[in-house]
Amino acid sequence: MAQTEQFAVRAAHGPSPVGSVVERMRSLRSDLPPADGLAVFNRVYLAVTEEFGRHAEGGHFTDRPAADTLAVLFARRYLAAVDAADEGRRPPACWRPLFQYRRHPGVRPLQFALAGINAHIGHDLALAVVETCRALGREPADLESGFDRVGDILVQLEEQIREDLMPGPDLLEIADPLTHLVGAWSLERARESAWSAARLLWGLRDLPDLAEEFTERLDAGVGLVGRCLLTPWR
């Protein structure tokens, strides 16, 4: 039995299998300097994943094996990008801006957080949905409920992220260029695009050349948005 199938079966009962990726993210939190751009995103993503685990163990998912499988495969794509960068390999294009600018003094913490979320939602989520369908023998429609619940958790945390990381007094924020930059990006729109991309990729599963071309262009496009989000302000 494949590894993804094994944890999908175990996910029906007991602790959520997201614990394995949570531990890796906690290790990164301990190892990275707090001001590192990757550390900023990692803290945000760790909070999201821990919240997901609490929801899973609390019975909030009608199809917990599917939700857990999606969450773990999704997180592994982020961790694979981290491993690639650590080993001197090129991570996917969507992640490159964050790794390139992670120590830039002119990039603010909110930018790092949103650039990581953009890469992970805009590119990784669609591919993780397709991986989950293949691992479980499901159709994307079968995962929509779990997908929406995961998205709800992300949306609930987005506003808190903005409040915690947005710099400056409220009266000055309206004049801050960062306010206009982050206001142009929406997690809700990114989530909707990810679902559409997943359905399209699933429809192209018997046309590997077209699926690969679409995936490469998706990766490049999300990377371009990430580069804009990380525009230094000094």
Side-chain angles (χ1 to χ4, degrees), residues 15 40 52 57 130 136 147 151 162 179 202 209 220 229:
V40 174
F52 172 90
E57 293 178 14
V130 172
L136 301 180
F147 180 95
R162 291 176 185 265
T179 302
W202 186 249
D209 290 344
L229 288 169

Side-chain angles (χ1 to χ4, degrees), residues 43 51-52 92 105:
R43 289 195 297 272
E51 184 69 12
F52 172 90

Side-chain angles (χ1 to χ4, degrees), residues 24-226:
R24 177 71 195 287
M25 286 185 239
R26 287 175 177 165
S27 177
L28 286 171
R29 181 182 60 186
S30 299
D31 294 342
L32 294 170
D36 186 305
L38 180 62
V40 174
F41 169 73
N42 189 76
R43 289 195 297 272
V44 170
Y45 192 30
L46 174 59
V48 170
T49 309
E50 288 174 333
E51 184 69 12
F52 172 90
R54 287 189 287 270
H55 278 242
E57 293 178 14
H60 294 278
F61 295 99
T62 56
D63 187 350
R64 182 174 165 187
D68 275 346
T69 302
L70 175 59
V72 174
L73 293 177
F74 183 38
R76 284 179 178 174
R77 287 194 162 269
Y78 156 60
L79 296 173
V82 174
D83 289 340
D86 286 348
E87 295 165 8
R89 296 180 285 112
R90 283 167 68 84
C94 61
W95 285 105
R96 287 173 208 158
L98 179 58
F99 288 110
Q100 290 168 354
Y101 285 84
R102 59 191 286 187
R103 297 181 180 89
H104 197 295
V107 179
R108 294 172 174 172
L110 178 61
Q111 293 174 264
F112 290 129
L114 292 183
I117 294 171
N118 170 70
H120 205 35
I121 300 294
H123 174 263
D124 294 352
L125 184 54
L127 274 60
V129 169
V130 172
E131 280 187 292
T132 302
C133 288
R134 287 176 172 153
L136 301 180
R138 306 282 190 90
E139 296 284 329
D142 299 328
L143 306 183
E144 189 166 9
S145 175
F147 180 95
D148 287 342
R149 280 202 172 269
V150 171
D152 290 343
I153 295 170
L154 291 167
V155 170
Q156 289 171 13
L157 289 173
E158 182 188 21
E159 186 61 33
Q160 186 63 48
I161 291 167
R162 291 176 185 265
E163 290 179 2
D164 289 348
L165 298 179
M166 178 70 81
D170 291 345
L171 291 176
L172 297 180
E173 285 181 8
I174 193 169
D176 193 319
L178 179 60
T179 302
H180 301 282
L181 176 67
V182 302
W185 188 87
S186 164
L187 189 149
E188 182 63 31
R189 290 196 297 271
R191 184 178 72 162
E192 291 171 356
S193 296
W195 182 248
S196 296
R199 293 179 61 212
L200 179 56
L201 279 171
W202 186 249
L204 294 174
R205 64 191 181 280
D206 295 326
L207 299 168
D209 290 344
L210 285 177
E212 182 179 2
E213 180 180 350
F214 176 80
T215 300
E216 289 176 354
R217 295 192 178 189
L218 177 67
D219 189 20
V222 173
L224 179 60
V225 173

